[in-house]
Every structure is written in structure tokens, then in C-alpha cells.
Amino acid sequence: MRTLYVVTHPEATHHVEGVVGGWYDSQLTPAGIRAAVSIAQALRAQIPNSAEVQLFSSDLQRTLRTAKEVAALFGVTPNLDRRLREKSYGEAGGKPQAWLDQRFIPPPAVGERMEHDEGIEGSETKAAWAQRIYAATNDILHNPSNTRSS
């Protein structure tokens, strides 16, 4: 049986600076680093020492730093996959959240919401983001070279 643990990065500089994240390549804050260490320790306590562990991460600095804390406790190297990135907010990435808020077109209350264009140049629809993440996850779970028993 395989078990998949999904971890998000903790506090990053874009959170405290009030700028849009997405594909903006921010760092973890000192509090985020402490949280990443705690996440790694919690996973180490949960996962048996005998388990073969593989670690996958997006290539953004904040997620890679989180993955490196986990990797250090398991003695593995993170496999980077840019498909695991957060939803892209296109040209809004790295700009003040207020900039995005002024331009964002909310999805309709009813009807098609996944293909909705939020009005931000270069941003992904929720459908495109979900398709990208599902494809990466499917590859991770079904690629024979990634199959490990625990």
C-alpha cells in the first residue's frame, strides 16, 4: 500500500509583504522555516523508518526549502516538478494584493466556475491548474519507477 502525504509550504515572504504569490518565487520567512522543520519532524514521527520514501516538490524556493527540511530527516533528495506549483496568477504575481483585488473578476455564483477567466493576463483558470496538478500526481502515483511499498 502506498501513502501520499501532501504538504503545503508554511509562511513565505509574499504572505507578510502582502503581495500575490502563485508563481512569484518568494522565500520562507524565519517563522516559515521553523514551521517547515516542525512539518518535517511530524512526518518523520508518522512514517515508519522501514518505509521507502520519495519526495516531490515544486521548484519554487519556498516549497523547495520546505522539501529540503523533510529530505534531511529522511535522507532523500527532492524530485522537482514545476507542475506542482501553485495556481499561476500571471502578471499579478509579486504585485500588491490590492492590485489583484482591483482587477479580479470573481466567478459567477452559479454555472461554470472552473473555466472562468479571472481577468488577469497570463493567469491560469482553476481548470487548467487542476489538470496540471492531477497530471503530476497521476505520474507520481502510477510511474513504475516511483512505486514503493511501505
Side-chain angles (χ1 to χ4, degrees):
M1 181 173 109
R2 298 184 70 196
T3 302
L4 176 68
Y5 294 88
V6 178
V7 175
T8 186
H9 67 81
E11 185 181 74
T13 55
H14 73 274
H15 295 135
V16 298
E17 293 169 355
V19 299
V20 178
W23 289 15
Y24 177 67
D25 206 7
S26 61
Q27 304 277 341
L28 291 182
T29 64
I33 294 169
R34 289 189 300 276
V37 169
S38 293
I39 290 166
Q41 291 169 341
L43 287 170
R44 181 68 276 177
Q46 179 71 29
I47 298 170
N49 290 334
S50 61
E52 292 187 49
V53 172
Q54 288 186 303
L55 179 60
F56 295 85
S57 173
S58 92
D59 58 337
L60 295 176
Q61 295 176 65
R62 60 191 178 264
T63 54
L64 182 55
R65 177 63 193 267
T66 305
K68 285 181 177 180
E69 295 298 336
V70 174
L73 290 184
F74 286 93
V76 297
T77 302
N79 297 288
L80 303 185
D81 189 333
R82 66 182 286 120
R83 296 176 301 168
L84 294 173
R85 287 181 174 192
E86 299 173 34
K87 181 184 176 299
S88 172
Y89 287 94
E91 68 177 342
K95 291 186 177 173
Q97 183 65 46
W99 185 95
L100 175 60
D101 293 344
Q102 291 171 352
R103 290 159 179 83
F104 183 81
I105 300 170
V110 295
E112 176 54 49
R113 298 172 56 90
M114 293 297 286
E115 293 287 351
H116 173 71
D117 181 349
E118 298 169 344
I120 308 301
E121 184 69 32
S123 67
E124 288 181 294
T125 64
K126 288 183 179 178
W129 171 55
Q131 289 167 357
R132 176 172 51 81
I133 294 296
Y134 279 114
T137 304
N138 189 57
D139 287 351
I140 289 167
L141 292 174
H142 294 100
N143 183 330
S145 66
N146 294 336
T147 301
R148 299 286 188 263
S149 59
S150 56

